[in-house]
Structures are given as structure tokens and as C-alpha cells.
Amino acid sequence: MRIVDAHQHFWAFGEPEHEWPTAEWPSVHRDFGPGDLREATAGVDLAGTVLVQSQPTDHDTDWMLALANAEPLVKAVVGWVDLTASEAPARIAALAFRPKLRGLRPMLQGIADTDWLLRAELAPALAAMEDQGLRLDALVQPRHLPMLATFAARWPTLPIVIDHAAKPFAANGTLGPWRDDIARLADVGLHCKLSGLRTEQTLGQPACDLAPYVTHLVDCFGERLMWGSDWPVIALAGDSWTDWLRDARTLAADADAAQLFAGCATRFYDLAL
């Protein structure tokens, strides 16, 4: 089966304004680029990937787009823009001319104000995203889900995908209120990524403990659920790219595999494979 990875990262410590990962995270504290990805996915029929920002800087977005332009395996880029900046609409319009730019991701998980995305000063940038046909990757935690429902109602034509299933509290097996909150977002048509769950567990916790979460996501989102590796961050859980692919196939055995592992991401990000 051909695979589309809906969520992976590259970073280089020599690039300006690099912030994360720091030396506190030794398993990922090095450069990761296309060659590393090809090595990590050896033996897999990988049709393409979506490269997602890891640094909240314009430079990182420009660097990713230049890298993607030279790397045929990367089919789309999700970048970053300071949505509060007065020049954000112009920046978004300029980025939209780059052939592989498909969306933007504000790093909401690191913003203390849970309702930040609802601020009035973001409206011009969000309108520019709509005008340019871009998507919003929502890097959120369970605390953000009620806010995200309000946001989606305000911006009904802005395509939204929830990164990492909103990072439920998988380490202790807590399902509520995440279970009901994310189901409401599925009901109003949002997409979701089956990614990032292993790093929400404690190190050494078995992947099978994620079964209640994955089953719920499959039931709620159906063909609007897409698989992502979250590589190389997945290494923080002690897993490889292929480990998580294997575990996700087992955990989501009742899903439409063609949609989960390729079709959904291809449609949502309008990928040319």
C-alpha cells in the first residue's frame, strides 16, 4: 500500500532563530533532512509527505519551502506566519504563490491564552488564508477544543485539521472531556491527524493502550482522519517511523486503510502525487 505521511518535520541547527529541540531532548537533538527521511522509510512505498513547521519564524517557513522545492518527496508545506502582524495578509499572499505551500500552523499549544485564536486582530490574516485557499493546522491540546468549535463556526469555509488528535491525556488513560469535545468537532466537518499519540504516553507504555483513542477517532472522523508519522519527534517515544506505521495499522484496523494512509491527506492538502 502506498503511504502519504501527513505530518513530518525537518530542522537544521545552523539555521537562524532555531529554537527547538534543545539538548534536553537528546534523541532528536541533531539535524534532520530529506536523506534522513529516506533512510527512516526504507522499504516503504512512500508516495509523499507533508512537511510541517517546527519553529515559529518566517525564516523557518522560507527554509522549508526552499528545501521542498528541491525535494520531490515533499508534496506540501505547512508554514508559520505571525497572524497578529499588520503585514500578515501581505506575507500570506506572497507565500501562497509558492507552489507547495498548503497551509499555516500557529503554535497554539505554546500560547497561554486558550482563546488566542479568537482574537479580533487575527481576522485580517485569517481572511487572507481563506482568500488564498490555505488550510489551518490546529496544534492544540484538549483545553482548546471548545474554543476551536467556536472558531470553526466563525470561519466555516477555512479548512481545519486537528494535529495529533489534540494530544489527549493518553499517559493516564483519560478520555473525558476530550472524547466528547473532539466528537463535536468531527460532527461539524473538521479533519484530524492520527499522529503524535505515542509521545503523549509515558516512555515504555505500550501502543495498544491507545486503542480507545484510535477507535474513537476512526468512528468520529472516518474518511476525514489522516495518518502522520510526526517524525522525527516520534523518536521521543522510542519509536521509529516504521514502528508507528505498524502500530497505527493495527490500532486502526477497522478504518478504510486507503483513506487513512493516503486518500484523506491527498484530498485535504490537494497533493499532486
Side-chain angles (χ1 to χ4, degrees):
M1 182 174 64
R2 301 197 80 193
I3 303 294
V4 172
D5 184 347
H7 198 104
Q8 57 92 191
H9 304 285
F10 296 139
W11 54 69
F13 284 82
E15 294 299 317
E17 302 176 278
H18 181 89
E19 296 181 1
W20 190 91
T22 64
E24 298 176 54
W25 312 95
S27 60
V28 292
H29 191 246
R30 65 173 181 87
D31 292 354
F32 286 92
D36 301 293
L37 178 64
R38 292 182 183 280
E39 181 179 347
T41 59
V44 176
D45 187 4
L46 184 61
T49 75
V50 178
L51 175 60
V52 180
Q53 63 84 224
S54 62
Q55 317 297 317
T57 68
D58 289 331
H59 178 85
D60 182 60
T61 298
D62 293 335
W63 176 77
M64 287 192 303
L65 286 166
L67 199 64
N69 189 55
E71 176 48 62
L73 194 59
V74 175
K75 305 300 183 182
V77 171
V78 176
W80 179 92
V81 167
D82 180 358
L83 300 181
T84 65
S86 60
E87 63 272 18
R91 168 71 170 163
I92 291 167
L95 286 172
F97 280 98
R98 306 291 290 271
K100 290 187 178 181
L101 196 281
R102 292 292 187 276
L104 298 175
R105 184 171 86 147
M107 302 189 79
L108 300 173
Q109 69 173 12
I111 298 173
D113 180 6
T114 299
D115 294 331
W116 181 86
L117 199 57
L118 302 178
R119 292 185 179 184
E121 62 262 38
L122 274 64
L126 295 167
M129 289 181 65
E130 281 192 323
D131 291 344
Q132 299 298 333
L134 299 180
R135 300 129 186 93
L136 177 73
D137 264 57
L139 178 60
V140 295
Q141 298 165 323
R143 65 184 169 102
H144 294 98
L145 295 180
M147 176 279 296
L148 196 56
T150 301
F151 177 84
R154 288 185 185 179
W155 299 91
T157 62
L158 180 63
I160 302 169
V161 59
I162 304 167
D163 286 356
H164 312 322
K167 299 192 168 187
F169 301 117
N172 58 19
T174 301
L175 287 169
W178 169 87
R179 174 173 45 197
D180 293 337
D181 288 342
I182 205 160
R184 292 188 188 98
L185 293 170
D187 287 343
V188 297
L190 270 64
H191 288 67
C192 187
K193 292 186 183 181
L194 182 59
S195 61
L197 295 179
R198 288 289 282 146
T199 46
E200 295 306 307
Q201 296 183 284
T202 57
L203 192 62
Q205 193 173 358
C208 61
D209 287 355
L210 294 171
Y213 300 95
V214 176
T215 297
H216 185 60
L217 293 168
V218 170
D219 289 344
C220 289
F221 288 94
E223 293 188 354
R224 284 177 286 112
L225 185 67
M226 63 187 81
W227 178 84
S229 67
D230 198 26
W231 177 93
V233 181
I234 189 68
L236 295 176
D239 281 3
S240 67
W241 193 100
T242 52
D243 288 337
W244 173 232
L245 176 63
R246 178 201 64 221
D247 289 338
R249 280 174 160 164
T250 300
L251 290 163
D254 292 335
D256 181 330
Q259 294 302 317
L260 176 61
F261 293 104
C264 179
T266 301
R267 288 193 311 277
F268 181 80
Y269 287 112
D270 190 23
L271 305 181
L273 300 181

